[in-house]
Amino acid sequence: MTVVRIKDLGSHSQQTVVIRGWVVTTRSSGKIAFLVQRDGSGEVQAVFLKKDVPQEVWERFQSLTQETSVEVTGVVRPDDRAPGGYELTATGLTVLGTSEDYPLTPKEHGTTFLFQNRHLWLRNRRQVAIAKVRHEVVQALRDFFYDHDFVLVDTPILTGAIGEEAGNLFATEYFDLGQAYLAQTGQLYGEAAAAALGKIYCFGPTFRAEKSKTRRHLTEFWMLEPEVAFNDSDDNMRLQEEMVTDVVKRVLERCREELEQLERNLEPLRAVDLPFPRVSYTEAVELLRGLGSDIEWGRDLGGDDETLLAQQYDRPVMVYNYPKGIKAFYMKVNPEDPRTVLCNDMLAPEGYGEIIGGSQREDDYDTLLERINAQGLDPESYRWYLDLRRYGTFVHAGFGLGIERFVAWICGMPHIRESIAFPRQIHRLYP
Ligand code: 4AD
Ligand code: MG
């Protein structure tokens, strides 16, 4: 007997197949019984007719509970009313694993309870849809960079130098070498690799001991970071908008069912197209003040400012050249206005805020050393990074895309914690 995944039933019409999965719901009357089963690829309804199935199969059906794992044998029948277009006329049923008192009933549960049961909640239709969108997003990104001739370089997670800022580091003792930090970014290593390979990206988990409990922050999140030799800040922004447009279009094309399951309003996603609006930080401050914000030049945009600003556009907006004082040490000082650096954030629409942070990198040895010292960082641990400015320095730029924020926006979820299978937050380390 052929074991088939539910999504492939279409190519087995009228054949007898076996499906392995879990019970979603059951319903039965005296003569006929229905089992909705899921296997990760989809859901299908199996119909049991009392007069046609062996007595023990009929009895076994009566013992089924939510999330029992089962093996169902049956004949595949096309059915226009069925969600996947097919139904199963069951002939056999085996219980693989019983499931008593499954904690997540079809009724509403509170968020805390759901996250305590995240290992089970993952089976929920909505959660499955989110996982599939994330999978498509990541694959689309990898394909985008592969097609654009970027080389994937994996960067270390245990690092000796601070990548972004001292304020939110996870540190651990590292043998006789003192402290090691969990990577906040792969960027510095990406820059070294860009001098070897020209165009690279790294993609991996990054860590920040964020004390803030906002809907945009996790302590462990995945970041994709391209780095390109001879790109300036302008090229950098162009790459960002091309990448985001490409991925959103592909998700719209291939994740129709998932977005429908999530009841995502598709209009904001359909609006994503080149070019994205660009405003300088200075313009953004003026604009925001005009809209009632009390922001002052020199201060970082708060979450509310980002939301307000993004509301002025129908697609993601890029804010460029922030004040030097609120950005990382490695950003290149703007030669036309040394109070600012050549950088940009991309703000997603609909209140999702910053999904990308990027910049042209400081490529002058002395200026970089000065900035490392000015920020109280130890120049000794950046010796290798400074070397990149000693041996064939080069204009280069790159950015980091936070996968969870990107996925949360695409899925239209209020909080980013559902866009990763097992979120890590200040108060959450289990399961
Ligand atoms: O703006 P960030 O801090 O930039 C960097 O780390 C650079 N080194 C990237 C680069 O130029 N290669 O972070 C980049 C993105 C943010 O825009 C956001 O999407 C995400 O990473 N991010 C977070 N996502 C979830 N939780 C957090 N605590 C995050 N912090 C940043
Ligand atoms: Mg940032």
Side-chain angles (χ1 to χ4, degrees), residues 37-70:
Q37 183 188 3
R38 57 163 193 88
D39 72 349
S41 80
E43 290 186 6
V44 69
Q45 173 164 272
V47 184
F48 295 76
L49 290 169
K50 190 174 182 190
K51 66 176 173 56
D52 292 344
V53 297
Q55 174 73 12
E56 69 268 20
V57 166
W58 184 259
E59 274 161 22
R60 220 170 278 144
F61 179 95
Q62 310 304 320
S63 75
L64 297 180
T65 53
Q66 191 188 350
E67 292 304 319
T68 300
S69 48
V70 289

Coordinates of all heavy atoms in Angstrom, one line a residue, residues 37-70:
Q37 N -8.1 14.6 9.5 CA -6.7 14.2 9.8 C -5.7 15.2 9.2 O -6.0 15.7 8.1 CB -6.5 12.8 9.2 CG -5.2 12.2 9.5 CD -5.0 10.9 8.7 OE1 -5.9 10.5 7.9 NE2 -3.9 10.2 8.9
R38 N -4.6 15.5 9.9 CA -3.6 16.4 9.3 C -2.3 15.7 9.4 O -2.0 14.8 10.3 CB -3.5 17.7 10.1 CG -3.3 17.6 11.5 CD -2.8 18.8 12.2 NE -2.4 18.4 13.6 CZ -1.1 18.0 13.8 NH1 -0.2 18.1 12.8 NH2 -0.8 17.6 15.0
D39 N -1.4 16.0 8.5 CA -0.1 15.3 8.5 C 1.1 16.3 8.3 O 2.2 15.9 8.0 CB 0.0 14.2 7.4 CG 0.0 14.8 6.0 OD1 -0.2 16.0 5.8 OD2 0.3 14.0 5.0
G40 N 0.8 17.6 8.4 CA 1.8 18.6 8.2 C 1.8 19.2 6.8 O 2.2 20.3 6.6
S41 N 1.3 18.4 5.9 CA 1.3 18.9 4.5 C -0.1 19.4 4.1 O -0.3 20.1 3.2 CB 1.7 17.8 3.5 OG 0.6 16.9 3.3
G42 N -1.1 19.0 5.0 CA -2.5 19.4 4.7 C -3.4 18.7 5.6 O -3.0 18.0 6.5
E43 N -4.7 18.9 5.3 CA -5.8 18.2 6.1 C -6.7 17.5 5.1 O -6.9 17.9 4.0 CB -6.6 19.2 6.9 CG -5.8 19.8 8.0 CD -6.7 20.7 8.9 OE1 -7.9 20.7 8.7 OE2 -6.1 21.3 9.8
V44 N -7.2 16.3 5.5 CA -8.2 15.6 4.7 C -9.2 15.0 5.5 O -8.9 14.6 6.7 CB -7.5 14.6 3.8 CG1 -6.9 13.4 4.6 CG2 -8.4 14.1 2.6
Q45 N -10.4 14.8 5.0 CA -11.5 14.2 5.7 C -11.6 12.7 5.3 O -11.6 12.5 4.1 CB -12.8 14.9 5.6 CG -14.0 14.2 6.2 CD -15.2 15.1 6.3 OE1 -15.3 15.8 7.3 NE2 -16.0 15.1 5.3
A46 N -11.6 11.8 6.2 CA -11.9 10.4 5.9 C -13.3 10.1 6.3 O -13.7 10.5 7.4 CB -10.9 9.5 6.6
V47 N -14.0 9.4 5.4 CA -15.4 9.0 5.7 C -15.5 7.5 6.0 O -15.0 6.7 5.2 CB -16.3 9.3 4.6 CG1 -17.8 9.0 4.9 CG2 -16.2 10.8 4.2
F48 N -16.0 7.1 7.2 CA -16.2 5.7 7.5 C -17.7 5.4 7.5 O -18.5 6.0 8.2 CB -15.7 5.5 9.0 CG -14.2 5.7 9.2 CD1 -13.7 7.0 9.2 CD2 -13.3 4.6 9.3 CE1 -12.3 7.2 9.4 CE2 -12.0 4.8 9.5 CZ -11.5 6.1 9.5
L49 N -18.0 4.4 6.6 CA -19.4 3.9 6.6 C -19.5 2.6 7.4 O -18.8 1.7 7.1 CB -19.8 3.7 5.1 CG -20.0 4.9 4.3 CD1 -20.1 4.6 2.8 CD2 -21.2 5.7 4.8
K50 N -20.4 2.6 8.4 CA -20.5 1.4 9.3 C -20.7 0.1 8.5 O -20.1 -0.9 8.8 CB -21.6 1.7 10.3 CG -21.6 0.6 11.4 CD -22.6 0.9 12.5 CE -22.5 -0.1 13.6 NZ -23.5 0.0 14.5
K51 N -21.5 0.2 7.5 CA -21.9 -1.0 6.8 C -20.7 -1.6 5.9 O -20.7 -2.7 5.5 CB -23.1 -0.8 5.9 CG -23.0 0.1 4.8 CD -24.2 0.2 3.9 CE -24.3 1.2 2.8 NZ -23.2 1.2 1.9
D52 N -19.7 -0.7 5.6 CA -18.6 -1.1 4.7 C -17.3 -1.4 5.4 O -16.5 -2.1 4.8 CB -18.4 0.0 3.7 CG -19.5 0.2 2.7 OD1 -20.4 -0.7 2.7 OD2 -19.6 1.2 2.0
V53 N -17.1 -0.9 6.7 CA -15.8 -1.1 7.3 C -15.9 -2.3 8.3 O -17.0 -2.5 8.8 CB -15.3 0.1 8.0 CG1 -15.0 1.2 7.0 CG2 -16.2 0.6 9.1
P54 N -14.8 -3.0 8.6 CA -14.9 -4.1 9.6 C -15.3 -3.5 10.9 O -15.1 -2.4 11.2 CB -13.4 -4.5 9.7 CG -12.8 -4.1 8.4 CD -13.5 -2.9 7.9
Q55 N -16.0 -4.3 11.7 CA -16.5 -4.0 13.0 C -15.5 -3.3 13.9 O -15.7 -2.3 14.5 CB -17.1 -5.2 13.6 CG -17.6 -5.1 15.1 CD -18.9 -4.3 15.1 OE1 -19.6 -4.1 14.1 NE2 -19.3 -3.9 16.3
E56 N -14.2 -3.9 13.9 CA -13.2 -3.4 14.8 C -12.7 -2.0 14.3 O -12.4 -1.2 15.2 CB -12.0 -4.4 14.9 CG -11.1 -4.6 13.7 CD -11.6 -5.8 12.8 OE1 -12.8 -6.2 12.9 OE2 -10.7 -6.2 12.0
V57 N -12.8 -1.7 13.1 CA -12.4 -0.4 12.6 C -13.4 0.6 13.1 O -13.1 1.7 13.6 CB -12.3 -0.3 11.0 CG1 -12.3 1.1 10.5 CG2 -11.1 -1.1 10.6
W58 N -14.7 0.3 13.0 CA -15.8 1.2 13.5 C -15.6 1.4 15.0 O -15.7 2.6 15.4 CB -17.2 0.5 13.2 CG -18.3 1.4 13.6 CD1 -19.1 1.3 14.7 CD2 -18.7 2.6 12.9 NE1 -20.0 2.3 14.7 CE2 -19.8 3.1 13.6 CE3 -18.4 3.2 11.7 CZ2 -20.5 4.3 13.2 CZ3 -19.1 4.3 11.3 CH2 -20.1 4.9 12.0
E59 N -15.3 0.4 15.7 CA -15.1 0.5 17.2 C -13.9 1.4 17.5 O -13.9 2.2 18.4 CB -15.0 -0.8 17.9 CG -16.4 -1.4 18.2 CD -16.4 -2.9 18.4 OE1 -15.3 -3.4 18.8 OE2 -17.5 -3.5 18.3
R60 N -12.8 1.1 16.8 CA -11.6 1.9 17.0 C -11.8 3.4 16.7 O -11.3 4.2 17.4 CB -10.5 1.4 16.0 CG -9.1 1.3 16.6 CD -8.2 0.5 15.6 NE -8.3 -0.9 15.7 CZ -8.2 -1.8 14.7 NH1 -8.0 -1.3 13.4 NH2 -8.3 -3.0 14.8
F61 N -12.6 3.7 15.7 CA -12.9 5.1 15.4 C -13.5 5.8 16.7 O -13.2 6.9 17.0 CB -13.9 5.2 14.3 CG -14.3 6.6 14.0 CD1 -13.6 7.3 13.0 CD2 -15.3 7.3 14.7 CE1 -13.9 8.7 12.7 CE2 -15.6 8.6 14.5 CZ -14.9 9.3 13.5
Q62 N -14.4 5.0 17.4 CA -15.0 5.6 18.6 C -14.0 6.0 19.7 O -14.3 6.8 20.5 CB -16.1 4.7 19.2 CG -17.1 4.1 18.2 CD -17.8 5.1 17.4 OE1 -18.2 6.2 17.9 NE2 -18.0 4.9 16.0
S63 N -12.8 5.4 19.7 CA -11.8 5.7 20.7 C -11.0 6.9 20.4 O -10.2 7.3 21.2 CB -10.9 4.5 20.9 OG -10.0 4.4 19.8
L64 N -11.1 7.4 19.2 CA -10.2 8.5 18.7 C -10.4 9.8 19.5 O -11.6 10.2 19.8 CB -10.4 8.8 17.2 CG -10.0 7.7 16.3 CD1 -10.2 8.1 14.8 CD2 -8.6 7.2 16.5
T65 N -9.4 10.4 19.9 CA -9.4 11.8 20.6 C -8.5 12.7 19.8 O -7.7 12.3 19.0 CB -9.0 11.7 22.0 OG1 -7.7 11.1 22.0 CG2 -10.0 10.8 22.9
Q66 N -8.7 14.0 20.1 CA -7.9 15.0 19.5 C -6.4 14.7 19.6 O -5.9 14.4 20.7 CB -8.2 16.4 20.1 CG -7.6 17.6 19.4 CD -7.8 18.9 20.2 OE1 -8.4 18.9 21.2 NE2 -7.1 19.9 19.7
E67 N -5.7 14.7 18.5 CA -4.2 14.5 18.4 C -3.8 13.1 18.6 O -2.6 12.8 18.7 CB -3.4 15.4 19.4 CG -3.5 16.9 19.0 CD -3.0 17.2 17.5 OE1 -2.0 16.6 17.1 OE2 -3.6 18.0 16.8
T68 N -4.7 12.1 18.6 CA -4.3 10.7 18.4 C -3.5 10.6 17.1 O -4.0 11.1 16.1 CB -5.5 9.8 18.4 OG1 -6.3 10.0 19.6 CG2 -5.1 8.3 18.3
S69 N -2.4 9.9 17.1 CA -1.7 9.6 15.8 C -2.3 8.4 15.2 O -2.5 7.4 15.9 CB -0.2 9.6 16.0 OG 0.1 8.7 17.1
V70 N -2.6 8.5 13.9 CA -3.3 7.4 13.3 C -2.7 7.1 11.9 O -2.1 7.9 11.3 CB -4.8 7.7 13.1 CG1 -5.5 7.7 14.4 CG2 -5.0 9.1 12.4

